[in-house]
mmCIF file of all heavy atoms in Angstrom:
data_model
loop_
_atom_site.group_PDB
_atom_site.id
_atom_site.type_symbol
_atom_site.label_atom_id
_atom_site.label_comp_id
_atom_site.label_asym_id
_atom_site.label_seq_id
_atom_site.Cartn_x
_atom_site.Cartn_y
_atom_site.Cartn_z
ATOM 1 N N ILE Y 467 -65.997 -83.870 146.267
ATOM 2 C CA ILE Y 467 -66.448 -82.759 147.123
ATOM 3 C C ILE Y 467 -67.872 -83.040 147.597
ATOM 4 O O ILE Y 467 -68.757 -83.337 146.794
ATOM 5 C CB ILE Y 467 -66.403 -81.425 146.344
ATOM 6 C CG1 ILE Y 467 -65.006 -81.203 145.750
ATOM 7 C CG2 ILE Y 467 -66.785 -80.267 147.260
ATOM 8 C CD1 ILE Y 467 -64.950 -80.054 144.768
ATOM 9 N N GLU Y 468 -68.092 -82.940 148.884
ATOM 10 C CA GLU Y 468 -69.439 -83.175 149.403
ATOM 11 C C GLU Y 468 -69.685 -82.367 150.667
ATOM 12 O O GLU Y 468 -68.749 -81.994 151.385
ATOM 13 C CB GLU Y 468 -69.661 -84.658 149.692
ATOM 14 C CG GLU Y 468 -68.749 -85.235 150.748
ATOM 15 C CD GLU Y 468 -69.033 -86.711 151.014
ATOM 16 O OE1 GLU Y 468 -69.607 -87.389 150.136
ATOM 17 O OE2 GLU Y 468 -68.694 -87.167 152.114
ATOM 18 N N ILE Y 469 -70.976 -82.101 150.887
ATOM 19 C CA ILE Y 469 -71.395 -81.417 152.114
ATOM 20 C C ILE Y 469 -71.504 -82.466 153.210
ATOM 21 O O ILE Y 469 -72.270 -83.419 153.100
ATOM 22 C CB ILE Y 469 -72.733 -80.692 151.917
ATOM 23 C CG1 ILE Y 469 -72.574 -79.579 150.883
ATOM 24 C CG2 ILE Y 469 -73.246 -80.121 153.233
ATOM 25 C CD1 ILE Y 469 -73.881 -78.874 150.551
ATOM 26 N N VAL Y 470 -70.739 -82.288 154.267
ATOM 27 C CA VAL Y 470 -70.717 -83.250 155.368
ATOM 28 C C VAL Y 470 -71.838 -82.953 156.363
ATOM 29 O O VAL Y 470 -72.493 -83.860 156.869
ATOM 30 C CB VAL Y 470 -69.352 -83.227 156.076
ATOM 31 C CG1 VAL Y 470 -69.343 -84.191 157.265
ATOM 32 C CG2 VAL Y 470 -68.235 -83.566 155.094
ATOM 33 N N SER Y 471 -72.063 -81.699 156.640
ATOM 34 C CA SER Y 471 -73.127 -81.336 157.593
ATOM 35 C C SER Y 471 -73.655 -79.954 157.269
ATOM 36 O O SER Y 471 -72.975 -79.137 156.630
ATOM 37 C CB SER Y 471 -72.600 -81.372 159.035
ATOM 38 O OG SER Y 471 -71.606 -80.373 159.239
ATOM 39 N N PHE Y 472 -74.870 -79.718 157.708
ATOM 40 C CA PHE Y 472 -75.529 -78.425 157.510
ATOM 41 C C PHE Y 472 -76.240 -78.104 158.829
ATOM 42 O O PHE Y 472 -77.247 -78.719 159.152
ATOM 43 C CB PHE Y 472 -76.531 -78.518 156.356
ATOM 44 C CG PHE Y 472 -77.079 -77.198 155.906
ATOM 45 C CD1 PHE Y 472 -76.444 -76.446 154.942
ATOM 46 C CD2 PHE Y 472 -78.244 -76.688 156.478
ATOM 47 C CE1 PHE Y 472 -76.955 -75.229 154.523
ATOM 48 C CE2 PHE Y 472 -78.762 -75.481 156.061
ATOM 49 C CZ PHE Y 472 -78.111 -74.738 155.089
ATOM 50 N N ASP Y 473 -75.694 -77.213 159.598
ATOM 51 C CA ASP Y 473 -76.225 -76.925 160.931
ATOM 52 C C ASP Y 473 -76.988 -75.603 160.931
ATOM 53 O O ASP Y 473 -76.464 -74.553 160.526
ATOM 54 C CB ASP Y 473 -75.094 -76.846 161.957
ATOM 55 C CG ASP Y 473 -74.416 -78.195 162.160
ATOM 56 O OD1 ASP Y 473 -75.137 -79.205 162.105
ATOM 57 O OD2 ASP Y 473 -73.191 -78.224 162.353
ATOM 58 N N LEU Y 474 -78.232 -75.680 161.401
ATOM 59 C CA LEU Y 474 -79.081 -74.501 161.484
ATOM 60 C C LEU Y 474 -79.027 -73.945 162.898
ATOM 61 O O LEU Y 474 -79.427 -74.604 163.858
ATOM 62 C CB LEU Y 474 -80.525 -74.863 161.125
ATOM 63 C CG LEU Y 474 -80.728 -75.591 159.791
ATOM 64 C CD1 LEU Y 474 -82.181 -75.955 159.607
ATOM 65 C CD2 LEU Y 474 -80.246 -74.713 158.653
ATOM 66 N N THR Y 475 -78.525 -72.748 163.046
ATOM 67 C CA THR Y 475 -78.465 -72.147 164.373
ATOM 68 C C THR Y 475 -79.619 -71.175 164.615
ATOM 69 O O THR Y 475 -80.052 -70.981 165.727
ATOM 70 C CB THR Y 475 -77.136 -71.391 164.556
ATOM 71 O OG1 THR Y 475 -77.003 -70.438 163.478
ATOM 72 C CG2 THR Y 475 -75.965 -72.355 164.512
ATOM 73 N N GLN Y 476 -80.133 -70.612 163.541
ATOM 74 C CA GLN Y 476 -81.207 -69.630 163.689
ATOM 75 C C GLN Y 476 -82.054 -69.628 162.412
ATOM 76 O O GLN Y 476 -81.529 -69.750 161.303
ATOM 77 C CB GLN Y 476 -80.623 -68.232 163.934
ATOM 78 C CG GLN Y 476 -81.661 -67.151 164.171
ATOM 79 C CD GLN Y 476 -81.015 -65.773 164.351
ATOM 80 O OE1 GLN Y 476 -79.806 -65.658 164.473
ATOM 81 N NE2 GLN Y 476 -81.833 -64.750 164.345
ATOM 82 N N SER Y 477 -83.355 -69.504 162.593
ATOM 83 C CA SER Y 477 -84.235 -69.428 161.426
ATOM 84 C C SER Y 477 -85.437 -68.558 161.764
ATOM 85 O O SER Y 477 -85.833 -68.432 162.920
ATOM 86 C CB SER Y 477 -84.695 -70.821 160.987
ATOM 87 O OG SER Y 477 -85.408 -71.461 162.026
ATOM 88 N N THR Y 478 -86.003 -67.957 160.760
ATOM 89 C CA THR Y 478 -87.195 -67.130 160.934
ATOM 90 C C THR Y 478 -88.209 -67.518 159.864
ATOM 91 O O THR Y 478 -87.907 -68.290 158.958
ATOM 92 C CB THR Y 478 -86.855 -65.630 160.812
ATOM 93 O OG1 THR Y 478 -86.344 -65.372 159.490
ATOM 94 C CG2 THR Y 478 -85.837 -65.205 161.853
ATOM 95 N N LEU Y 479 -89.395 -66.968 159.995
ATOM 96 C CA LEU Y 479 -90.453 -67.283 159.043
ATOM 97 C C LEU Y 479 -91.198 -66.011 158.670
ATOM 98 O O LEU Y 479 -91.511 -65.181 159.524
ATOM 99 C CB LEU Y 479 -91.432 -68.293 159.649
ATOM 100 C CG LEU Y 479 -92.574 -68.721 158.732
ATOM 101 C CD1 LEU Y 479 -92.045 -69.619 157.620
ATOM 102 C CD2 LEU Y 479 -93.648 -69.452 159.517
ATOM 103 N N GLU Y 480 -91.486 -65.879 157.390
ATOM 104 C CA GLU Y 480 -92.326 -64.785 156.912
ATOM 105 C C GLU Y 480 -93.560 -65.378 156.235
ATOM 106 O O GLU Y 480 -93.493 -66.441 155.623
ATOM 107 C CB GLU Y 480 -91.592 -63.927 155.881
ATOM 108 C CG GLU Y 480 -90.321 -63.273 156.344
ATOM 109 C CD GLU Y 480 -89.596 -62.609 155.185
ATOM 110 O OE1 GLU Y 480 -90.275 -61.948 154.356
ATOM 111 O OE2 GLU Y 480 -88.371 -62.782 155.082
ATOM 112 N N THR Y 481 -94.671 -64.692 156.363
ATOM 113 C CA THR Y 481 -95.830 -64.996 155.521
ATOM 114 C C THR Y 481 -96.163 -63.720 154.775
ATOM 115 O O THR Y 481 -96.073 -62.621 155.317
ATOM 116 C CB THR Y 481 -97.041 -65.450 156.353
ATOM 117 O OG1 THR Y 481 -97.302 -64.491 157.384
ATOM 118 C CG2 THR Y 481 -96.785 -66.804 156.969
ATOM 119 N N SER Y 482 -96.526 -63.884 153.518
ATOM 120 C CA SER Y 482 -96.763 -62.714 152.682
ATOM 121 C C SER Y 482 -98.020 -62.941 151.857
ATOM 122 O O SER Y 482 -98.186 -64.006 151.247
ATOM 123 C CB SER Y 482 -95.555 -62.472 151.776
ATOM 124 O OG SER Y 482 -95.787 -61.393 150.889
ATOM 125 N N ALA Y 483 -98.914 -61.962 151.864
ATOM 126 C CA ALA Y 483 -100.153 -62.071 151.094
ATOM 127 C C ALA Y 483 -99.822 -62.178 149.600
ATOM 128 O O ALA Y 483 -98.857 -61.574 149.128
ATOM 129 C CB ALA Y 483 -101.030 -60.854 151.366
ATOM 130 N N PRO Y 484 -100.580 -62.949 148.828
ATOM 131 C CA PRO Y 484 -101.773 -63.649 149.305
ATOM 132 C C PRO Y 484 -101.519 -65.045 149.862
ATOM 133 O O PRO Y 484 -102.277 -65.541 150.653
ATOM 134 C CB PRO Y 484 -102.641 -63.728 148.048
ATOM 135 C CG PRO Y 484 -101.635 -63.832 146.937
ATOM 136 C CD PRO Y 484 -100.472 -62.986 147.348
ATOM 137 N N ASN Y 485 -100.429 -65.721 149.445
ATOM 138 C CA ASN Y 485 -100.306 -67.110 149.870
ATOM 139 C C ASN Y 485 -98.856 -67.593 149.865
ATOM 140 O O ASN Y 485 -98.556 -68.676 149.386
ATOM 141 C CB ASN Y 485 -101.157 -68.029 148.984
ATOM 142 C CG ASN Y 485 -100.875 -67.872 147.509
ATOM 143 O OD1 ASN Y 485 -99.986 -67.126 147.120
ATOM 144 N ND2 ASN Y 485 -101.621 -68.574 146.683
ATOM 145 N N LEU Y 486 -97.948 -66.788 150.412
ATOM 146 C CA LEU Y 486 -96.539 -67.169 150.446
ATOM 147 C C LEU Y 486 -96.112 -67.546 151.861
ATOM 148 O O LEU Y 486 -96.476 -66.901 152.840
ATOM 149 C CB LEU Y 486 -95.654 -66.027 149.943
ATOM 150 C CG LEU Y 486 -95.592 -65.809 148.431
ATOM 151 C CD1 LEU Y 486 -94.679 -64.633 148.108
ATOM 152 C CD2 LEU Y 486 -95.115 -67.053 147.707
ATOM 153 N N PHE Y 487 -95.334 -68.609 151.929
ATOM 154 C CA PHE Y 487 -94.783 -69.146 153.161
ATOM 155 C C PHE Y 487 -93.268 -69.103 152.962
ATOM 156 O O PHE Y 487 -92.745 -69.780 152.068
ATOM 157 C CB PHE Y 487 -95.312 -70.575 153.323
ATOM 158 C CG PHE Y 487 -94.794 -71.358 154.485
ATOM 159 C CD1 PHE Y 487 -95.285 -71.153 155.754
ATOM 160 C CD2 PHE Y 487 -93.839 -72.353 154.293
ATOM 161 C CE1 PHE Y 487 -94.824 -71.913 156.823
ATOM 162 C CE2 PHE Y 487 -93.378 -73.117 155.350
ATOM 163 C CZ PHE Y 487 -93.877 -72.890 156.622
ATOM 164 N N ILE Y 488 -92.525 -68.288 153.730
ATOM 165 C CA ILE Y 488 -91.121 -68.018 153.416
ATOM 166 C C ILE Y 488 -90.234 -68.350 154.614
ATOM 167 O O ILE Y 488 -90.086 -67.538 155.533
ATOM 168 C CB ILE Y 488 -90.907 -66.544 153.018
ATOM 169 C CG1 ILE Y 488 -91.915 -66.132 151.939
ATOM 170 C CG2 ILE Y 488 -89.477 -66.330 152.537
ATOM 171 C CD1 ILE Y 488 -91.935 -64.644 151.670
ATOM 172 N N PRO Y 489 -89.624 -69.549 154.639
ATOM 173 C CA PRO Y 489 -88.652 -69.846 155.691
ATOM 174 C C PRO Y 489 -87.308 -69.196 155.373
ATOM 175 O O PRO Y 489 -86.866 -69.163 154.223
ATOM 176 C CB PRO Y 489 -88.556 -71.374 155.670
ATOM 177 C CG PRO Y 489 -89.028 -71.787 154.320
ATOM 178 C CD PRO Y 489 -89.924 -70.703 153.801
ATOM 179 N N ASN Y 490 -86.652 -68.675 156.399
ATOM 180 C CA ASN Y 490 -85.339 -68.054 156.265
ATOM 181 C C ASN Y 490 -84.349 -68.753 157.191
ATOM 182 O O ASN Y 490 -84.610 -68.903 158.390
ATOM 183 C CB ASN Y 490 -85.390 -66.572 156.643
ATOM 184 C CG ASN Y 490 -86.219 -65.749 155.693
ATOM 185 O OD1 ASN Y 490 -85.788 -65.417 154.606
ATOM 186 N ND2 ASN Y 490 -87.435 -65.420 156.115
ATOM 187 N N VAL Y 491 -83.227 -69.162 156.639
ATOM 188 C CA VAL Y 491 -82.126 -69.701 157.439
ATOM 189 C C VAL Y 491 -81.118 -68.582 157.634
ATOM 190 O O VAL Y 491 -80.675 -67.952 156.671
ATOM 191 C CB VAL Y 491 -81.473 -70.910 156.732
ATOM 192 C CG1 VAL Y 491 -80.247 -71.380 157.498
ATOM 193 C CG2 VAL Y 491 -82.483 -72.036 156.583
ATOM 194 N N VAL Y 492 -80.766 -68.321 158.891
ATOM 195 C CA VAL Y 492 -79.880 -67.204 159.209
ATOM 196 C C VAL Y 492 -78.631 -67.730 159.922
ATOM 197 O O VAL Y 492 -78.731 -68.486 160.899
ATOM 198 C CB VAL Y 492 -80.591 -66.172 160.106
ATOM 199 C CG1 VAL Y 492 -79.665 -65.002 160.415
ATOM 200 C CG2 VAL Y 492 -81.877 -65.693 159.457
ATOM 201 N N ASP Y 493 -77.458 -67.347 159.404
ATOM 202 C CA ASP Y 493 -76.182 -67.643 160.054
ATOM 203 C C ASP Y 493 -75.984 -69.141 160.299
ATOM 204 O O ASP Y 493 -75.551 -69.558 161.375
ATOM 205 C CB ASP Y 493 -76.075 -66.869 161.373
ATOM 206 C CG ASP Y 493 -74.629 -66.746 161.842
ATOM 207 O OD1 ASP Y 493 -73.729 -66.805 160.987
ATOM 208 O OD2 ASP Y 493 -74.422 -66.619 163.071
ATOM 209 N N ALA Y 494 -76.295 -69.947 159.299
ATOM 210 C CA ALA Y 494 -76.055 -71.390 159.406
ATOM 211 C C ALA Y 494 -74.590 -71.681 159.089
ATOM 212 O O ALA Y 494 -73.832 -70.812 158.657
ATOM 213 C CB ALA Y 494 -76.966 -72.132 158.434
ATOM 214 N N SER Y 495 -74.200 -72.930 159.336
ATOM 215 C CA SER Y 495 -72.834 -73.337 159.010
ATOM 216 C C SER Y 495 -72.867 -74.625 158.203
ATOM 217 O O SER Y 495 -73.731 -75.482 158.409
ATOM 218 C CB SER Y 495 -72.003 -73.526 160.277
ATOM 219 O OG SER Y 495 -72.576 -74.517 161.107
#
């Protein structure tokens, strides 16, 4: 069993005090 592909169709980004960097992958396949 293996992952053949990972397609990102939409992504967002959050920053949160004091020092967080938060990428979000939305509705990927």
Side-chain angles (χ1 to χ4, degrees):
I467 306 169
E468 62 179 22
I469 296 176
V470 178
S471 65
F472 191 88
D473 294 324
L474 307 177
T475 55
Q476 183 182 350
S477 60
T478 62
L479 181 72
E480 300 172 43
T481 52
S482 176
N485 53 4
L486 283 180
F487 176 79
I488 310 170
N490 294 283
V491 174
V492 181
D493 200 25
S495 60

